[in-house]
Each structure stands twice: as C-alpha cells, then as structure tokens.
Amino acid sequence: MKNLLLVLKYEYLTCVKSKAFIIITVFLVCGAFLSSMLPGFIADMEVEEIPASEEDKTTIAIMKGSYDDEIVKSEFGTFFPDNKIELTTEDRAAVESKVNDSEYLFGVEIDSPMTFVYITRNNSMTDSNSAVIAQALKNIYTVTELAKHGMSQTETDQLMNVPITGQTFSTGTDQSKNYLPVYLLMCILFTAIVSYGQFVTQSVVSEKNTRAMELLITCAKPKELMFGKVFGAGLAGLTQLGAVFLTVTVSFTYLGSSSIPDYVKEFLNFPPETMALALMFFMLGYFMFAFLLGALASFASKSEDLNGLTTPVVFILIAIYMVLVFLSSTDMVDSTAMAVLSYIPLSAPMAMFVRATLCDISAIEIIISVALQIITIVVFGILAAAIYRMGVLMYGNPPKPAEIIKMLKAQYSQNKAGK
C-alpha cells in the first residue's frame, strides 16, 4: 500500500508539473473565464435593427387572378413582411424575365382560388417560400369566402389569429430541456477519458525509454505501479477539470451573471445529481480505458510504437461515442439498443449517463450497470498489471494480440504452478 501511494504521488506530481499540463490548464481556465464575459460583449454589440425602407425592400410580384387587391396585398404582406408586394398585370413571361434579371425576388401566379405557380430563379433545397405562399393563399381563400357571408376582413383576421397558448407537462424526464446540457457533459466526458488516458500511456513509454521502469519494477510490484499510475493520472485529470469548473462557476455567478440571458442561465444550470452522475461515470470510464491503454503502452519500446498499439482502443471509444450521439439525438434514446449499450462495460459510462439523465429508469438499473463496470475495472486492472509485468522488460517490435494472449496464458500457468 505504501508503494502504491508513493507511485500515485509521483505520477500525480509528474502530470501536474509538466509543461503540457500547465499550458492546457491555463488555456482552459482562461477560456472558461472569458466565456463568462462573452454574453455581455454580445449584448453590448447588439444594435437595434432598423426596418428596411420601401426602397430597400426586395419586390415580390403577384399575378393575383380574380382575388381582391387589398386582401392579396394584406395577406402576402403579413407572410412576407420584409418584402415589397407588387400586384402586376404582366404576363408570366414578363415576370419570369424580371425574376431572372433579379428585378423581382420571385413571382407568384394565382391560377385559381386554390392553385398557384411559384416563379423563382434558383430553387434551393432550403427554399420554404412555396409552403409560405400556400398558407397565404389559403388565408386569402378563407377571407374571401367569409366576406361572402358578411364578415369583414378585420373580423376575419381576429378570428384567424386567435392566440393559442399551451403548456407541456411531462410525467417523466423532460428530454427537450435536458438534452443540450447532457450532450455537452457527454462531450466533456468523452474528451476527458481520451485525454487523461493518454497521460498513462505517455508516462509508461517515457519511463521505458529512459529505462526507469526497470528500476521501478524492482522497488514495487507491477500491480502497485500500474494502479498508482492510473490513479495518479486520474487525480491530475480531476484537478484540471475541477479548476475549469470552479472558474466557470465563479465567473458566471459573480462576473457575468447580469449580462447572461435567462435561456443561457437555464442551459448552464446543471442539477447536482447530473453533475454527480457525470463525475461518477467519468471515473468509471477513465479507469477502464486507462488500464487498457496503460497495459498496451507497456509493450511500446518507443513513442512511435504507441499509436499503433493504442489506436484500436481509441477507435472503439470514438465509435461508441458516435453511436451514442446518434441514438441520443433521435427518438431511440430510450430504445433497446441504448439499454443494451448501457450494460456493456466499455460503452456503459456514457450510455448509462445519457439514459440516467434523459430517461426514466430505476435506480437498480444504474446500480447494476455501475457494478458491472466496477467488476470490469478490477479485471482490467489485474490483466493490465500482468501485461505490464511482461512488457516492462520487452524491447523491439510490439507483440501481436495473439502473442499477448499466449504470454498471459503462460504467465497464468507459471503462477498456478508456483502456488
């Protein structure tokens, strides 16, 4: 235990004193601080929008057919308030020519009370004018028909524009409210697991390059070395994350609070239980991948070998992240696929975090998932220590997966025979 604490302390101090760690921490803290000032700067830069003059408005040409001029201008003016509505008696060919020459933004030919032709120069995929024109034409038809029954346009407008208000009451979790904060925390979770897992790999390779590992292995057991490295790097990661979140909390609370819009405050108002879950699943995910990455890094004789050994593990984590982003951004957030992923140890830290914050699940489901992850961490830790023990004195080309499995079996047989 004493050696474990010594290794942990050494690894922690090595991480936090490194230039890269200090530079990244300062950069993140400064970014967090400046972000609290950003809403105020944006608010100061906002200027009151000046309505466009009639001369500046782009023109929409309407070939109105048999409809009343005032009704057509009124309804199209309502749906296109930033444009000048011009009723024209020109034929379609003349309107098409002016649209092509950009004299008109677009043209509308009303063939009959319920049909129209939308004339535009370029019909882009995001062009919604046709749907808006259809709604305007529907209103014109309604107003015209009601006028035949003695209802004035004012009465018709009041009838058609009755304000409707509604509220949404959710008996479970409000995904629309929680999605963006949870997505942000999941991104941080993913980035933190990958970043701090690399601390372990870099430490193992640097010690092996300097042959310091050979000296360390004579002073402490492989388990103490591996667990000490993982715990030390994890503690350094928590220190960095704590500094960033503390800066965000203090700066937003005391410096930028008055200038932050309410919707931003609501977005950044993470419930304590959500933050607690994020911290717990970060630690679980970090330990799993850190043990894997650290074990593989022990086979690298030089830094150039590191990417080839650890890339498959990183790719697995990236693939899991991409799948979870897709599932959580659709109606499949509470699907069977997401439920299965929340129990598979490698995907469980992020998948169960998403389900626990966006879905109604029982506490027992979270407990089972956490228990499976803890068991996996223990297994990975023991395997990582065994692999670390084999790779500590191994130099040359990195072994292939089949060779690693063969060496593990041989080591297990030796340990069993020794007992």
Side-chain angles (χ1 to χ4, degrees), residues 30 76 79 91 115 154 206 254 273-274 378 398 402 409 413 416:
C30 290
F76 271 93
F79 283 91
D91 59 17
T115 60
T154 302
S206 63
Y254 297 103
E273 58 271 19
T274 300
V378 173
K409 289 181 178 179
S413 299
K416 190 175 181 181

Side-chain angles (χ1 to χ4, degrees), residues 1-10 216 218-221 224-225 228:
M1 185 64 180
K2 181 180 179 181
N3 289 335
L4 174 62
L5 293 177
L6 289 174
V7 175
L8 188 155
K9 180 181 177 181
Y10 170 79
L216 290 172
T218 61
C219 302
K221 296 179 180 179
E224 294 173 334
L225 289 172

Side-chain angles (χ1 to χ4, degrees), residues 247-270:
T247 303
V248 170
T249 302
V250 173
S251 58
F252 271 104
T253 302
Y254 297 103
L255 299 178
S257 179
S258 59
S259 61
I260 301 175
D262 291 338
Y263 68 89
V264 176
K265 290 181 181 179
E266 185 176 354
F267 171 76
L268 295 173
N269 185 25
F270 300 117

Side-chain angles (χ1 to χ4, degrees), residues 143-174:
V143 171
T144 302
E145 291 300 311
L146 290 175
K148 294 178 181 179
H149 294 80
M151 185 174 287
S152 67
Q153 184 173 349
T154 302
E155 294 173 329
T156 303
D157 289 340
Q158 292 175 349
L159 179 64
M160 295 174 63
N161 296 294
V162 174
I164 305 297
T165 59
Q167 294 180 339
T168 300
F169 177 76
S170 177
T171 58
T173 304
D174 189 350

Side-chain angles (χ1 to χ4, degrees), residues 26-48:
V26 171
F27 176 79
L28 292 175
V29 168
C30 290
F33 176 77
L34 292 175
S35 66
S36 66
M37 303 292 103
L38 188 61
F41 290 140
I42 294 176
D44 293 339
M45 293 173 62
E46 288 181 350
V47 295
E48 185 176 354

Side-chain angles (χ1 to χ4, degrees), residues 61-111:
I62 309 292
M63 293 173 278
K64 67 180 183 62
S66 60
Y67 279 127
D68 180 77
D69 292 3
E70 293 301 320
I71 295 177
V72 172
K73 291 195 72 172
S74 174
E75 293 301 328
F76 271 93
T78 300
F79 283 91
F80 296 97
D82 296 329
N83 303 106
K84 182 180 179 180
I85 309 300
E86 181 177 315
L87 304 182
T88 180
T89 57
E90 297 171 311
D91 59 17
R92 180 170 171 178
V95 172
E96 289 177 358
S97 176
K98 290 186 176 182
V99 168
N100 194 53
D101 294 337
S102 299
E103 292 185 42
Y104 293 147
L105 180 63
F106 61 83
V108 179
E109 181 183 18
I110 302 177
D111 290 333

